[in-house]
Amino acid sequence: MAPHRVSLLCTTALCLAFVSCAKAPQQDALHLTKQAAITVGCEPFSDEFFDGLYRFVSNGKSLPSANDFESALERSMNHERLNQLQPADRVRLRELMGELYEIVLIGAPPIARASGDTEMQVIAALELGDRTEPERTALTDRFKAKLREIEAFTSELEKSGELHCPRVVEATPKNEPAPLRETLFEQWKTARHPAVYGGLKAIATSYQSCSAATLPAIKTATPDVLGITEVGMHTDGIGSKREITDLAALIRTHPYLKNYKKPRGGSNCFDIKKKPLIYDYGGRPWTDAASYDFFKDEGSGTAELGFDCSAYVYVAFATAGLKLKPSGRLKASDVQGARSAQFMDPGRTSDLTCLAHASFSKTASLKPGDVVAKRGHVFIIDTVGSDPFGIRDIESSSGCKLENMSLDRFDFTILQSSNDKKGIGIHRAEASSFLKTTDMGQGMLVHAVNACKARFGLTTRSRVSSVAITRHKGTSACRDTAIAMERESCVASCPAQ
């Protein structure tokens, strides 16, 4: 899709800005309308359209009514770059934009009410091409069909010469500061898969700790944390809500907090022992245009700080500059729409096609940075031993059977946010221990069988219906500027180990 075609209709951002004029301070409205006017026709339409929506639904505000939108749309047609349209084309453009907006206005709120998600989460999921449930699939399909109709229309306008994009002056590159040497961040960035680097950096930042991501992985023998209580079910009827009911007990038993020391030389550190993060089903980090803040509550979880598995995985990729969706730019706000099932079958359950099903070979199977997902949970592969599935002693393909596989022989660690250990949240874990506590273990045993067959040249793909293993493509289209984390400066100077 040519950026100067469909993107032309980022007039929507202008429209939405006009709607806000009556309610927002004049300076804010002027800023919004100025930015929209500058970018109209010159930036990807989808990015601008969703950014306009996010301005309204962030912080719990509702979408404008259809009447308000139509009024703003009428005014936006007076913009000088749109005055060159023929009257009939102006009318058709207004109709298409109104229809696109109504798809969101009518479709998103019912899904939010039924799932317990916020409208922000539903709209962000729509931007990610969410097809994890029938209602979400229908909304995504309707929306994309209307986008294609808009693309075809604006393509004709471009061919006729009615619309043009002004010349873009490239910004002068800024001199980036030299990276700090001999720090944990630099060590991880140099030596680890980018997704693992992002996941470890998120652990260090969420705990404001130099040691949290370097301590031994959580395992079966690790005691449960105390002080967290289940207080009911999430609105979707699947996940539990949790609250900290005894802070002192939590700090005393938490493996990352019980011996906590504020980073030496750290700046702008959050007092993590006063309000630590826990596992919060439906929780999300607070977002603005270009950063995450783990220390403000967001999402459809409880008032506790913390976020769930899909949010953590999305953050890990985004903070390393890895896009999961090749089109558009990498946005902090898209984490609001992340759902575990989206990672299972990219292209079918979502538009996260920067991921593809992992392939196995005679010499390699599981790799650091791989994503393992089922409906209800998702995690990232952290470290991998020389024989991750424990199949080295199997001497022939006839031995590649489920009964010959064992979780006890699995040799890899994972990065995740889960309710393990009574709600610990973000942590590193030994896969052999964690997988015994979940039905994901059975699916991973089937992957072990497939890895065994690949070792003997019988297969190169591992497709398991219940549990998927996907891998980032690493292409230029799937990379972008990394999303920053608030208060990461607290741990940015932690020494390498």
Side-chain angles (χ1 to χ4, degrees):
M1 181 184 299
H4 60 290
R5 292 182 182 175
V6 178
S7 64
L8 198 37
L9 296 178
C10 66
T11 312
T12 306
L14 178 64
C15 299
L16 297 179
F18 273 125
V19 174
S20 68
C21 289
K23 300 178 180 179
Q26 187 177 18
Q27 274 309 113
D28 291 343
L30 288 172
H31 173 74
L32 291 173
T33 53
K34 179 181 178 181
Q35 289 303 112
I38 290 172
T39 60
V40 60
C42 308
E43 295 291 331
F45 162 69
S46 186
D47 280 334
E48 294 298 325
F49 179 80
F50 280 103
D51 283 352
L53 296 178
Y54 292 152
R55 292 187 187 109
F56 289 94
V57 297
S58 61
N59 300 318
K61 293 182 289 186
S62 297
L63 291 169
S65 68
N67 287 338
D68 286 343
F69 181 82
E70 289 175 8
S71 175
L73 187 58
E74 180 68 30
R75 295 184 63 181
S76 75
M77 291 296 157
N78 294 324
H79 184 262
E80 61 180 19
R81 296 202 59 250
L82 302 177
N83 278 334
Q84 54 194 318
L85 295 176
Q86 296 294 323
D89 291 334
R90 287 162 57 86
V91 170
R92 182 57 181 152
L93 176 59
R94 188 165 63 244
E95 289 175 348
L96 287 171
M97 289 304 303
E99 291 164 3
L100 185 72
Y101 178 74
E102 285 198 40
I103 288 172
V104 180
L105 181 64
I106 295 172
I111 293 175
R113 289 192 295 270
S115 66
D117 287 347
T118 64
E119 286 188 10
M120 178 74 163
Q121 286 174 291
V122 174
I123 292 172
L126 174 61
E127 185 173 18
L128 295 176
D130 189 4
R131 293 185 179 86
T132 57
E133 296 168 355
E135 296 80 6
R136 294 172 186 263
T137 299
L139 178 60
T140 294
D141 289 346
R142 288 196 301 271
F143 186 83
K144 296 192 77 170
K146 187 57 63 176
L147 280 181
R148 289 192 294 270
E149 191 175 351
I150 291 170
E151 178 182 9
F153 178 70
T154 53
S155 178
E156 291 303 315
L157 293 180
E158 180 193 25
K159 291 177 182 177
S160 70
E162 286 190 64
L163 293 171
H164 304 278
C165 185
R167 184 175 64 88
V168 176
V169 178
E170 296 290 338
T172 303
K174 296 180 180 179
N175 293 323
E176 296 292 335
L180 294 173
R181 300 296 176 181
E182 304 303 322
T183 67
L184 266 182
F185 284 9
E186 188 62 24
Q187 182 183 45
W188 291 334
K189 187 173 184 178
T190 301
R192 309 300 291 274
H193 184 281
V196 176
Y197 156 66
L200 294 173
K201 188 166 67 167
I203 292 177
T205 301
S206 64
Y207 288 105
Q208 298 283 273
S209 166
C210 292
S211 63
T214 64
L215 291 173
I218 302 298
K219 55 186 178 180
T220 302
T222 304
D224 292 341
V225 297
L226 303 177
I228 298 175
T229 303
E230 291 189 10
V231 294
M233 295 296 294
H234 190 270
T235 309
D236 66 4
I238 299 175
S240 296
K241 291 188 175 184
R242 293 172 176 82
E243 292 181 356
I244 299 173
T245 51
D246 189 337
L247 179 59
L250 175 60
I251 300 299
R252 186 177 68 250
T253 58
H254 199 296
Y256 299 161
L257 297 176
K258 60 184 178 182
N259 296 314
Y260 175 80
K261 294 181 180 178
K262 180 180 176 180
R264 182 176 300 175
S267 62
N268 192 33
C269 294
F270 181 79
D271 192 346
I272 197 66
K273 294 183 75 172
K274 285 189 176 180
K275 195 169 179 59
L277 280 67
I278 63 172
Y279 181 72
D280 189 23
Y281 182 87
R284 296 289 187 271
W286 187 88
T287 60
D288 61 15
S291 69
Y292 295 118
D293 191 340
F294 301 162
F295 310 104
K296 291 182 181 180
D297 186 52
E298 184 78 317
S300 60
T302 68
E304 300 292 354
L305 297 180
F307 41 98
D308 61 20
C309 60
S310 56
Y312 171 68
V313 170
Y314 193 93
V315 164
F317 278 85
T319 56
L322 296 179
K323 296 164 60 179
L324 296 178
K325 177 185 173 189
S327 62
R329 65 181 185 274
L330 182 58
K331 295 182 182 180
S333 53
D334 280 347
V335 72
Q336 300 292 336
R339 295 162 58 84
S340 59
Q342 294 170 352
F343 295 86
M344 291 189 65
D345 196 358
R348 190 181 69 83
T349 57
S350 69
D351 288 346
L352 305 186
T353 53
C354 285
L355 298 173
H357 287 280
S359 60
F360 294 167
S361 70
K362 291 183 179 181
T363 57
S365 56
L366 205 60
K367 295 182 179 181
D370 285 354
V371 176
V372 180
K374 70 156 191 162
R375 285 185 175 271
H377 193 50
V378 59
F379 57 78
I380 298 172
I381 302 300
D382 174 25
T383 61
V384 173
S386 60
D387 184 21
F389 285 118
I391 57 177
R392 179 178 295 158
D393 292 337
I394 297 177
E395 297 179 349
S396 69
S397 60
S398 62
C400 299
K401 300 177 181 179
L402 194 59
E403 57 264 32
N404 292 333
M405 305 300 151
S406 173
L407 294 176
D408 288 327
R409 294 198 299 272
F410 279 17
D411 184 18
F412 57 94
T413 60
I414 63 177
L415 303 172
Q416 65 176 349
S417 180
S418 81
N419 60 5
D420 200 25
K421 302 303 174 185
K422 302 297 184 181
I424 188 172
I426 303 169
H427 65 286
R428 296 176 62 244
E430 289 186 357
S432 58
S433 296
F434 171 74
L435 290 173
K436 293 175 182 177
T437 69
T438 168
D439 57 2
M440 295 183 84
Q442 188 65 23
M444 290 301 286
L445 288 172
V446 178
H447 281 293
V449 171
N450 292 338
C452 181
K453 291 178 178 179
R455 183 166 168 252
F456 294 102
L458 298 182
T459 184
T460 59
R461 295 180 67 81
S462 185
R463 301 292 291 269
V464 177
S465 60
S466 60
V467 177
I469 301 177
T470 56
R471 186 168 293 159
H472 196 270
K473 294 178 180 178
T475 60
S476 59
C478 293
R479 292 177 178 270
D480 204 348
T481 302
I483 303 297
M485 294 178 289
E486 299 296 325
R487 300 182 187 269
E488 67 177 87
S489 61
C490 175
V491 287
S493 300
C494 292
Q497 296 185 6

